[in-house]
Amino acid sequence: MRTPTTPRPVRVPGPDDLDRAWRAVSRRLAPTPLVPSGLAPGALLKLETFQPTGAFKVRGALAAVAALPAGEPAVTASAGNHGLGMAFAAAETGADVTVVVSTRASRAKVDRIGGFPVRLVQHGTTYDEAEAHALTLPGRYVSPYNDPAVIAGQGTIGRELDAQAEGPLTVVAPVGGGGLAAGLCLWARGRGDVRIVGVESAVSRGVSASVEAGRVVDVPVGDTVADGLPGNLEPGCVTPGLIRGADLTAVTDAEIRTALRWLLREHGLVAEGAGAAGIAAVLAGRVEIAGRAVVVVSGRNITIPAYTAALGTGNGD
């Protein structure tokens, strides 16, 4: 559980933030593919697995770095996709970026982050301890999800969908801290023909609990193959307020593993557990689709042992 702290003041993003994020992201990244799928009638898959870092979080990182005042350094805590995104943004823009990771972080991910021109700091044995240390360092702290520029950056997926798919659409995306779903909800406000469905892990439902409570609350968190999803929210986090109005559901690890195998069999695609959460929800019949479904396959960064273990638990499907 996260240790309660005084909430940081975080501004709720608006349409102007989405415009600024779009300028920053579209300058550096090509639109990711949108491909037809037999997942549901007329379904489409938005393949964020094709990002240069292998995951959607590079969008928020580029937007956050672009929002920095001239010369101000950035600091973040992550050993996963957000850290890789911030490292990529540092290489692309020359920004001064520090990434704090725990001493137990995946060595493969830490080595990959360290291959970029960033300052890499190891501190603590958990993400929360690494984050607490990052908050003491000089520079603007860039949360993986509770940051207006990061949220708006993730919403640029919607700006690409404006040009790629006519509505009505039901956009399905994974939910961990809620940055992606919040960004998509920010974008969807400008359209009258888009529904957003967020998919949590069944063992970590902090966002839906906070939406229901009307404030950030802690929940029990378990282990899951979707290692990008579990965890509680930062006190005062703005994502639940932005997500209110979206539909929220959850999937089990068994359903996620089925989705990983389905993506490989039907599309020849490798995804990480979190990346397949939307597929899992549709396959399990937990998404009410209005118009066409657009499922965000959010990332591919899974270790070979974890991936082969997931593929090996099926019944030959």
Side-chain angles (χ1 to χ4, degrees), residues 44-302:
L44 302 163
L45 306 185
K46 181 65 167 162
L47 301 182
E48 291 295 290
T49 54
F50 280 71
Q51 292 290 7
T53 61
F56 76 96
K57 287 200 173 185
V58 67
R59 295 175 180 272
L62 284 167
V65 166
L68 290 170
E72 183 175 359
V75 59
T76 193
S78 171
N81 291 329
H82 175 67
L84 285 171
M86 290 295 291
F88 178 88
E92 284 287 300
T93 66
D96 181 350
V97 173
T98 298
V99 180
V100 184
V101 302
S102 83
T103 58
R104 293 183 181 177
S106 161
R107 174 49 53 188
K109 291 182 179 180
V110 171
D111 288 346
R112 190 173 175 196
I113 292 170
F116 288 93
V118 298
R119 189 177 299 105
L120 185 62
V121 176
Q122 288 192 287
H123 183 91
T125 59
T126 66
Y127 170 81
D128 285 355
E129 290 175 356
E131 181 185 57
H133 182 66
L135 287 164
T136 71
L137 299 179
R140 176 188 165 188
Y141 180 70
V142 180
S143 167
Y145 58 90
N146 188 30
D147 182 280
V150 168
I151 292 168
Q154 320 308 21
T156 62
I157 289 176
R159 286 290 176 88
E160 290 179 12
L161 290 176
D162 283 336
Q164 291 176 320
E166 295 181 356
L169 303 174
T170 298
V171 180
V172 187
V175 174
L180 174 55
L184 289 169
C185 287
L186 177 63
W187 158 70
R189 288 178 184 173
R191 290 186 52 156
D193 58 353
V194 174
R195 290 176 55 249
I196 305 299
V197 178
V199 183
E200 294 175 297
S201 164
V203 301
S204 182
R205 303 208 63 185
V207 168
S208 54
S210 297
V211 168
E212 183 176 355
R215 58 182 177 84
V216 172
V217 295
D218 278 1
V219 298
V221 175
D223 293 329
T224 170
V225 68
D227 62 358
L229 298 186
N232 278 299
L233 303 180
E234 179 181 355
C237 179
V238 302
T239 59
L242 287 163
I243 293 171
R244 189 172 292 112
D247 294 331
L248 294 171
T249 188
V251 290
T252 67
D253 269 18
E255 289 163 343
I256 290 170
R257 291 187 179 100
T258 295
L260 291 172
R261 295 192 295 272
W262 185 91
L263 277 167
L264 181 62
R265 184 183 69 243
E266 298 297 327
H267 289 277
L269 291 170
V270 173
E272 60 193 88
I279 300 290
V282 175
L283 287 174
R286 298 210 176 89
V287 177
E288 183 178 341
I289 298 171
R292 288 189 293 176
V294 175
V295 182
V296 179
V297 184
S298 61
R300 67 169 190 263
N301 295 327
I302 186 171

Side-chain angles (χ1 to χ4, degrees), residues 11-20 148 152 186 189 242:
R11 181 176 55 81
V12 177
D16 289 346
D17 294 286
L18 186 55
D19 291 340
R20 285 190 290 269
L186 177 63
R189 288 178 184 173
L242 287 163

